[in-house]
Amino acid sequence: MGVSNKTPEFLKMNPMGKVPVLETPKGPIFESNAIARYVARLKGDNILYGSSLFEYALIEQWIDFASLEIDTHTSRWFYPRLGFMVYLPLVEEAAIAALKRALGALNTHLALNTYLVGHSVTLADIVMTCNLCMGFCCIMIKSFTSEFPHVERYFWTMVNQPNFRKVIGEVKQAETVVPVQSGKKPAQPKETKPKAKEESKKETKKEAPKLKVQEPADEEEEAPKPKPKNPLDLLPPSKMVLDDWKRLYSNTKTNFREVAIKGFWDMYDPEGYSLWFCDYKYNDENTVSYVTLNKVAGFLQRMDLARKYAFGKVLIIGSEPPYKLKGVWLFRGQEIPQFVLDECYDMELYEWTKVDINDETQKERVNAMIEDQEPFEGEALLDAKCFK
């Protein structure tokens, strides 16, 4: 950038000198949405553009929405903080308000829809996910996006699809909002010039405190900060060894009730661990089997941060849509770990109920879930997923 894109040859392809540019046998195409539309239409029967004229119009609608409402307002918030544009607090406030309004509208739509249009990925989802990606990765921290749980679910489902991951790789959400670039930094070299003209006594008085401040700062940088311990590691030791249970579960191939289930309750420590039922809040949207399975797979993938402290089973229930999602989880401690609630947005999409192990009905429900018992509560199982 700044070199080859300014050459006469490049400017013939895009007079603005910007990327991307797609070279085709009939000539160059610039602007990312135009390129995306062209590629999507190369194959006549490509479902990325829907199956009817109406779906085509809806896809175009959401592509424009992604560009004009999501990308525009995210850029007006993000780029001034990097110094690419003049930072004005009132302009930023207006950009954030507009972005929240757009995300609110998107959240409402996604509350009843897995995808933007129809029941599979379309070009609208590709463009929307790419436009959301900058915000999630660069400036929209968890406390901001948690207001829009359906947008979160949609975004993380999309970026964890195999074809998305091949292109954009692993995506991680921003942990802090980018600080505004200070306007004082470029002025610092200029401040040294007038100091040279001042009397030497004034120079020594001003320089001395700088040296005193820098020395302890260097020492602080050199001293490694101890890694904070997970609060769960500070709990009293438990008689239950989680890895022993996971091995027993994985290695038991026959007589599961007599071996694995009995072994679980023999190992279980109600003082050191707790059991929780989870029920998905939005089962009505589980209308497509593979999408529902991907949703659960994404949830378990994002739970990886708790692998040392948890075990879980999630059942996908029903022979036809909408499918129900129910599960049972074993967590270290008496409550669901706070870091899991903070970091895994899926937790908000489920109702959580602590298991009363003195209630034989609840205890039997735990057994049935761990065993993948079918039928479960009178219904067939589409699948069962395990987190271990």
Side-chain angles (χ1 to χ4, degrees), residues 50 76 129 163 198 224 229 233 283 286 304 318 335 358 365:
R76 287 174 60 212
T129 301
N163 287 335
E198 295 176 0
K229 286 189 175 181
D233 293 329
N283 286 317
N286 297 332
D304 191 64
E335 301 295 334
N358 295 315
R365 192 167 187 253

Side-chain angles (χ1 to χ4, degrees), residues 62 64-76 98-104 106 127-128 130-135 140 151:
W62 285 111
D64 288 347
F65 182 93
S67 299
L68 300 175
E69 302 293 343
I70 302 297
D71 185 58
T72 297
H73 300 311
T74 303
S75 299
R76 287 174 60 212
L99 179 59
K100 282 190 171 184
R101 185 168 178 266
L103 290 172
L106 180 60
V127 174
M128 181 66 76
C130 290
N131 281 296
L132 286 170
C133 199
M134 180 177 75
M140 296 195 308
V151 175

Side-chain angles (χ1 to χ4, degrees), residues 167-188:
V167 177
I168 62 179
E170 184 180 2
V171 175
K172 292 185 178 180
Q173 187 163 8
E175 296 182 354
T176 57
V177 176
V178 178
V180 179
Q181 297 300 307
S182 173
K184 295 180 180 180
K185 290 184 178 179
Q188 285 177 351

Side-chain angles (χ1 to χ4, degrees), residues 245 248-249 251-267 364 367-368 370-371 373:
W245 156 242
L248 178 63
Y249 173 88
N251 295 333
T252 303
K253 307 301 181 185
T254 58
N255 300 322
F256 196 86
R257 276 266 172 167
E258 294 76 10
V259 179
I261 299 297
K262 182 180 182 301
F264 173 78
W265 292 113
D266 289 343
M267 296 179 185
E364 176 55 31
N367 295 343
I370 294 177
E371 189 184 12
Q373 185 181 86

Side-chain angles (χ1 to χ4, degrees), residues 14-31:
N14 184 350
M16 301 303 294
K18 295 181 179 180
V19 293
V21 174
L22 177 67
E23 293 186 74
T24 77
K26 294 185 177 181
I29 301 173
F30 61 87
E31 295 297 341

